[in-house]
């Protein structure tokens, strides 16, 4: 059996590992359009060739030491199933470790439970990329390959894609033609089973991550496509000197812009020293920013990749977030030696029970809440606002189509790493069960 896993984030990598460990005869290929695996759990190590802005070169420390978890900040392990089936393996391979930051806030504790929920949280050791770094050698990993079409070929699926710079999410439209017009499109191989792992793969062709899925499958996947998205921005900033605070992270309830901020050097396996911070925006503020500067051309509908000139402009996200961070801390910050930002149009789905506001921008629905409930209730404490136990599959089982969808967008658990990993794990289990039934 040949399985194509499309997306090498936590969901895809967990699914690939699980497929391999349950049945090593399965031939698994992971495709990812990124420069490396990790997706939303990525780590950015800014090298000397960076194009990002060193805003005060005279004061800059070596660019080699600029490091940021620029998406996911940490993860929770609230369910017994996640701890026993997945976290234990990550801990024993030293891919992750507990993170015990000195944390503070205005008493709200509303970013994935920090700082008020006392249960442990975890991070990737030396950066979040460690979580998706080590796949068994027999799993074929194709990085920098964007899947843009999945078509029937007899009983199998023909997976079509492009590779090189035009696969990357942030390549300018002029040098990344629409998939169907691209001369570089090639067949990436025939597969018996396709596992999709990113909600954007179910988008129409305008979206750079669209996987060109057949209508027969898209009609099954409406629970993925209909879920409001939470957009977020992160700002990555390095200061000339350490900040005058004992805190490693803050979650300031009073800020309308900043939801969370953390210091890279407080995380295990990262050399402390360079004062690098990642700032995470509020969902409400990010939705407003995407209304102001949409991800699509309102006339042609074409995708607009995030542009460093916009992200770092005088009134752009990076500078607005830095000013808001200073206001949260209540003292003058040292000069920033490095500053850039990242737009996450689909940072996560709104929680399954989401009852807050939404806004439609060019056909996509974004949650406009100030904060979100992202914590699973204590086990034994019954259901709760966070979503609680799944009442059915936490992935989309395409049955005889042999095409499935996994990830936090499919789960009723609070979105995040825990929900994503469990979804990938369960989808892989089902693929193996079906293979055994069919004697493949
Ligand atoms: C700013 C931010 C902060 C967050 N903070 C936290 C937190 O503190 N705690 C927590 O638990 N969670 C957090 N999350 C959410 C968490 O990161 C996600 O739930 C989790 O990483 C989802 O993993 P995934 O594998 O499902 O998706 P992704 O990580 O998005 O992986 C999907 C992969 O698919 C690839 N891909 C997409 N389309 C294609 C295509 N057509 N062809 C090939 N490859 C493709 C992408 O490159 C990507 O690598 C945060 C997310 C963001 C953005």
């Amino acid at each position: 059996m040949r399985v194509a896993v499309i997306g090498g984030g936590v969901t895809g990598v967990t699914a690939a590992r699980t497929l391999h460990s349950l049945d090593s005869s399965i031939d698994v290929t992971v495709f990812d359009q990124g420069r490396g695996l990790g997706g939303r759990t990525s780590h950015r190590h800014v090298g000397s060739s960076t194009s990002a802005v060193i805003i005060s070169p005279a004061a800059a420390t070596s660019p080699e030491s600029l490091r940021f978890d620029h998406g996911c900040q940490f993860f929770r392990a609230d369910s017994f199933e996640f701890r026993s089936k997945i976290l234990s393996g990550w801990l024993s391979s030293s891919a992750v470790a507990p993170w015990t930051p000195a944390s503070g806030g205005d008493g709200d504790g509303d970013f994935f439970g920090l700082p008020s929920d006392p249960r442990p949280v975890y991070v990737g050791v030396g950066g979040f990329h460690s979580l998706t770094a080590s796949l068994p050698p027999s799993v074929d990993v194709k990085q920098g390959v964007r899947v843009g079409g999945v078509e029937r070929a007899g009983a199998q699926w023909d997976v079509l894609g492009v590779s090189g710079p035009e696969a990357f999410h942030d390549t300018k439209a002029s040098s990344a033609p629409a998939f169907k017009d691209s001369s570089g499109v090639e067949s990436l191989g025939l597969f018996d089973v396709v596992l999709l792992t990113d909600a954007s793969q179910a988008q129409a062709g305008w979206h750079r991550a669209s996987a060109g899925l057949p209508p027969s499958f898209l009609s099954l996947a409406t629970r993925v496509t209909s879920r409001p998205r939470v957009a977020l921005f992160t700002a990555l900033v390095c200061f000339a000197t350490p900040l005058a605070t004992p805190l490693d992270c803050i979650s300031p309830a009073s800020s309308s812009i900043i939801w969370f901020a953390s210091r890279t050097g407080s995380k295990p396996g990262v050399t402390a020293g360079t004062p690098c911070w990642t700032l995470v925006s509020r969902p409400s503020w990010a939705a407003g920013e995407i209304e102001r500067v949409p991800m699509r051309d309102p006339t042609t509908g074409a995708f607009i990749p995030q542009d460093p000139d916009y992200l770092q402009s005088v009134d752009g996200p990076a500078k607005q977030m830095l000013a808001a961070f200073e206001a949260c801390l209540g003292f003058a910050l040292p000069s920033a030696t490095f500053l850039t930002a990242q737009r996450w149009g689909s940072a996560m789905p709104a929680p399954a029970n989401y009852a807050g506001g939404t806004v439609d921008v060019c056909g996509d629905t974004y949650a406009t809440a100030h904060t979100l409930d992202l914590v699973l209730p204590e086990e034994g404490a019954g259901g709760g606002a966070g979503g609680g136990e799944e009442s059915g599959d936490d992935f989309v089982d395409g049955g005889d189509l042999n095409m499935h969808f996994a990830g936090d967008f499919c789960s009723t658990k609070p979105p995040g790493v825990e929900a994503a990993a469990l979804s990938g794990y369960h989808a892989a289990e089902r693929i193996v069960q079906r293979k055994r039934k069919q004697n493949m």
Side-chain angles (χ1 to χ4, degrees):
M1 177 189 264
R2 297 197 72 206
V3 180
V5 177
I6 307 183
V10 174
T11 302
V13 165
T14 305
R17 279 196 194 118
T18 308
L19 286 167
H20 177 79
S21 71
L22 293 178
D23 184 340
S24 59
S25 75
I26 297 178
D27 182 348
V28 184
T29 304
V30 176
F31 296 101
D32 199 289
Q33 66 182 7
R35 293 173 176 82
L37 301 186
R40 285 172 274 162
T41 52
S42 297
H43 185 74
R44 200 184 296 183
H45 188 173
V46 181
S48 47
S49 62
T50 181
S51 61
V53 175
I54 306 284
I55 55 179
S56 172
T61 48
S62 161
E64 293 297 341
S65 59
L66 304 180
R67 302 181 59 164
F68 310 89
D69 284 331
H70 70 140
C72 181
Q73 299 301 296
F74 61 90
F75 63 92
R76 307 189 57 81
D78 291 341
S79 69
F80 174 75
E81 185 184 19
F82 175 71
R83 292 194 296 272
S84 56
K85 292 183 176 166
I86 298 173
L87 177 67
S88 54
W90 290 352
L91 284 168
S92 61
S93 65
S94 300
V96 305
W99 183 44
T100 50
S103 55
D106 304 5
D108 197 350
D110 67 343
F111 187 79
F112 286 89
L114 271 188
S116 61
D117 190 297
R119 286 175 288 174
V121 298
Y122 302 84
V123 293
V125 174
F128 250 113
H129 59 301
S130 63
L131 198 52
T132 47
S134 57
L135 274 163
S138 61
V139 172
D140 193 6
V141 177
K142 309 270 190 214
Q143 292 174 24
V145 178
R146 172 159 59 101
V147 173
V150 185
E151 293 175 1
R152 265 281 172 229
Q156 291 182 301
W157 292 107
D158 191 3
V159 174
L160 307 167
V162 292
S163 54
E166 73 182 44
F168 299 144
H169 192 68
D170 52 3
T171 301
K172 282 198 189 302
S174 51
S175 44
F179 178 77
K180 291 290 173 201
D181 305 332
S182 169
S183 52
V185 171
E186 54 179 313
S187 172
L188 303 170
L190 296 177
F191 294 88
D192 302 293
V193 178
V194 172
L195 177 63
L196 300 143
T197 67
D198 184 327
S200 300
Q201 290 161 3
Q203 296 265 25
W206 70 269
H207 199 287
R208 196 58 76 71
S210 170
L213 304 179
S216 53
F217 181 69
L218 283 177
S219 59
L220 287 176
T222 48
R223 77 196 232 208
V224 175
T225 47
S226 63
R227 210 143 158 197
R229 288 150 191 264
V230 174
L232 295 177
F233 284 81
T234 47
L236 318 181
V237 54
C238 179
F239 297 100
T241 55
L243 303 190
T245 173
L247 298 177
D248 299 318
C249 69
I250 62 164
S251 179
S254 56
S255 175
S256 61
I257 299 183
I258 302 293
W259 195 10
F260 187 72
S262 71
R263 185 170 66 83
T264 313
S266 67
K267 296 185 171 181
V270 182
T271 311
T274 317
C276 292
W277 286 72
T278 302
L279 320 179
V280 183
S281 78
R282 291 266 171 202
S284 42
W285 184 80
E289 192 57 26
I290 284 181
E291 260 188 296
R292 188 174 80 86
V293 184
M295 294 172 58
R296 289 181 80 174
D297 185 309
T299 314
T300 65
F303 178 67
I304 307 175
Q306 57 174 349
D307 182 347
D309 292 343
Y310 150 64
L311 295 169
Q312 295 159 5
S313 63
V314 175
D315 61 347
K319 288 189 178 142
Q320 284 195 67
M321 290 174 70
L322 181 59
F325 183 49
E326 184 168 61
C328 294
L329 289 173
F331 56 81
L333 292 172
S335 61
T337 57
F338 173 88
L339 177 66
T340 191
Q342 164 94 23
R343 177 186 72 191
W344 298 93
S346 300
M348 60 189 89
N353 61 341
Y354 182 70
T358 57
V359 63
D360 277 9
V361 187
C362 300
D364 284 320
T365 306
Y366 295 93
T368 54
H370 181 68
T371 189
L372 301 167
D373 187 349
L374 298 171
V375 176
L376 204 57
E378 293 266 12
E379 266 150 338
E389 290 308 307
E390 304 284 345
S391 54
D393 287 338
D394 60 354
F395 62 97
V396 175
D397 183 344
D400 291 340
L401 276 179
N402 283 327
M403 182 178 285
H404 315 288
F405 225 122
D408 54 354
F409 273 79
C410 306
S411 175
T412 59
K413 282 195 166 56
V417 166
E418 182 169 5
L422 279 171
S423 174
Y425 184 91
H426 291 145
E429 271 187 332
R430 184 70 54 82
I431 290 168
V432 173
Q433 279 164 11
R434 191 162 283 128
K435 173 177 182 281
R436 286 182 186 147
K437 262 196 200 148
Q438 294 170 349
N439 265 332
M440 280 181 84

